[in-house]
């Protein structure tokens, strides 16, 4: 791959250990990595990207998503429901999906994320109707060029057994574990710089059995991959845990092997003090999804307390059926605002929110090669043009979270340009949007 030289950046927010902020710096990209940072670097034969109007940040990291849900945004029956009611509205629609729906919705969701500064996204795909498979989303990410951590989700307790999902959407537990092994063996790449790492992710304690939670943890440890699920999302979730398992979600997770640096849980809105201590002690990660939590009225996660205690926290947009947008920079702003609502105006700075969105997310996903700008790191970079109206008149790069812009000018993933001058340049996005809208129309006609 030819070299790229990002030249004369207005500001580089490195998110390195010293949290250095550089002005007028150049960044040389070679072989997918950051090769050199300094002033007045020799261009040689490199492709030049002039960055005098740009704040450069590490690519943002999305730690929780259900990409397939971009096909079910703003569904009328689910617009004003709490989590369980919302799920019951959407399950029958999702049951009509197949491989085409999974591929297209993933591509749209990932492109939307890329435009909002995201270079690395996880995904939690926990239903496989109509012959859909995890690789439908892996192919979408590879074509677009985003770094991808898909997780093989699952549901096994249908309505007839007291679970929430319809029986048609649940799978046999032995088949789930078998398919986990298949996708890990086929697609997981543990090497540094990896573009695809697979995780194991039963959907939630209320949609799979205790045995599957335990076996999934054993399998993930055997294979050396990460574990992910939903936990302690709202009051209904806590009540379910206490009624069904006789304990809080934290204890349930701990008993089944679901704590540790190789585990991250989505939401955790309702973690109590003891559970926060447990997560801090075990370095169990949290995917904080503030817009989704607001949208579903779930509450405000105790992110300030988690961070102060030492819990690794990253950000997630969550699925587009509960957000309904997919802007990661928007989540950084929402994180900052919500912590201020609860704890006061000095409770979280814009810079801390941006740190959580980049370095924090990379740590939650077990990536020490992404999330900061330093020589030797992968070249996952977001360039934000601050010469436009959103940040006109701003005095400080914190404007990125406090004001805007909301979309990147350029985005590099592993040194490859994914967004150029504000447009996706690896796929035909207009065509993908048309395909997506046709599929959404067909689904809505069937309801
Ligand atoms: Zn979710």
């Amino acid at each position: 791959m030819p070299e790229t030289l990002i030249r004369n950046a207005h500001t580089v927010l490195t998110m390195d250990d010293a949290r250095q902020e550089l002005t007028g710096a150049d960044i040389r990209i070679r072989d997918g990595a950051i090769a050199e940072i300094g002033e007045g670097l020799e261009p040689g034969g490199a492709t030049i990207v002039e960055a005098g109007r740009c704040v450069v940040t590490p690519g943002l990291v999305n730690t929780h998503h259900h990409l397939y849900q971009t096909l079910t945004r703003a569904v009328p029956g689910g617009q004003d429901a709490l989590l369980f009611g919302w799920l019951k509205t959407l399950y029958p629609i999702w049951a009509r999906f197949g491989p085409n729906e999974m591929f297209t919705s993933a591509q749209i969701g990932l492109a939307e994320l890329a435009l909002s500064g995201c270079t690395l996204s996880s995904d939690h795909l926990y239903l496989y109707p109509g012959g859909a498979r995890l690789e439908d989303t892996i192919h979408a990410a590879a074509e677009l060029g985003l770094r991808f951590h898909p997780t093989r989700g699952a549901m096994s307790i249908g309505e007839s057994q007291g679970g929430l999902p319809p029986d048609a959407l649940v799978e046999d537990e032995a088949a789930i574990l078998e398919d986990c092994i298949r996708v890990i063996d086929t697609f997981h790449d543990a090497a540094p710089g990896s573009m695809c790492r697979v995780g194991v992710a039963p959907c939630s304690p209320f949609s799979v059995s205790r045995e599957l939670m335990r076996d999934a943890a054993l399998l993930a440890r055997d294979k050396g991959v990460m574990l992910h699920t939903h936990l302690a999302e709202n009051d209904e979730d806590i009540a379910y845990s206490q009624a069904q398992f006789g304990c809080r979600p934290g204890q349930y997770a701990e008993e089944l092997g679901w704590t540790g640096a190789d585990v991250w849980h989505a939401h955790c809105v309702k973690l109590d003090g003891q559970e926060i201590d447990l997560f801090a002690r075990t370095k169990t990660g949290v995917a904080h999804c503030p817009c989704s939590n607001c949208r579903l009225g779930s509450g405000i996660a105790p992110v300030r307390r988690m961070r102060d205690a030492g819990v690794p926290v990253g950000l997630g947009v969550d699925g587009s059926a509960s957000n309904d947008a997919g802007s990661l920079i928007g989540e950084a702003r929402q994180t900052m605002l919500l912590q201020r609502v609860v704890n006061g105006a000095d409770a979280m700075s814009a810079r801390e929110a941006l740190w959580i969105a980049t370095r924090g997310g990379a740590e939650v996903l077990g990536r020490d090669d992404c999330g900061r700008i330093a020589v030797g790191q992968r070249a996952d970079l977001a360039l934000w043009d601050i010469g436009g109206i959103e940040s006109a008149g701003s005095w400080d790069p914190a404007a990125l979270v406090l004001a805007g812009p909301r979309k990147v000018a350029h985005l590099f993933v592993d040194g490859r340009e994914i967004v150029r001058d504000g447009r996706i340049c690896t796929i035909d996005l207009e065509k993908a949007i048309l395909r997506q809208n046709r599929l959404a129309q067909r689904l809505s006609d069937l309801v």
Side-chain angles (χ1 to χ4, degrees), residues 64 66 230 267 318:
H64 187 63
H66 311 287
H230 294 97
H267 303 301
D318 202 2

Side-chain angles (χ1 to χ4, degrees), residues 94-102 127-133 136 168-169:
W94 296 336
R96 297 178 187 277
F97 279 38
N100 199 12
E101 282 78 5
M102 292 303 180
L127 37 86
Y128 295 86
R133 298 195 297 176
D136 300 325
L169 274 182

Side-chain angles (χ1 to χ4, degrees), residues 4-19:
T4 302
L5 186 66
I6 295 168
R7 194 152 71 177
N8 191 32
H10 179 281
T11 311
V12 179
L13 303 176
T14 64
M15 303 296 163
D16 66 5
D17 291 339
R19 305 210 183 184

Side-chain angles (χ1 to χ4, degrees), residues 102-112 140 143-144 427 432 435:
M102 292 303 180
F103 176 89
T104 302
S105 58
Q107 199 153 68
I108 290 291
L110 289 167
E112 187 184 15
E143 200 179 292
L144 182 67
I427 62 163
R435 205 163 57 232

Side-chain angles (χ1 to χ4, degrees), residues 6-13 22-27 49-57 373 381-388 391 397 400 404-405 407-412 417 419-422:
I6 295 168
R7 194 152 71 177
N8 191 32
H10 179 281
T11 311
V12 179
L13 303 176
L22 313 171
T23 53
D26 300 350
I27 301 171
V49 178
E50 295 293 351
R53 283 173 36 140
C54 291
V55 172
V56 184
T57 67
I373 299 175
L381 300 167
L383 278 67
W384 308 84
D385 182 352
I386 53 165
S391 41
L400 205 53
K407 286 193 172 167
V408 289
H410 307 282
L411 190 82
F412 292 88
E417 199 173 20
V419 178
R420 181 184 307 147
D421 297 322

Side-chain angles (χ1 to χ4, degrees), residues 160-177:
S160 64
Q161 292 171 289
L164 206 63
D167 289 353
L169 274 182
V170 303
E171 299 175 89
D172 170 71
E173 296 198 341
I176 290 167
L177 291 168

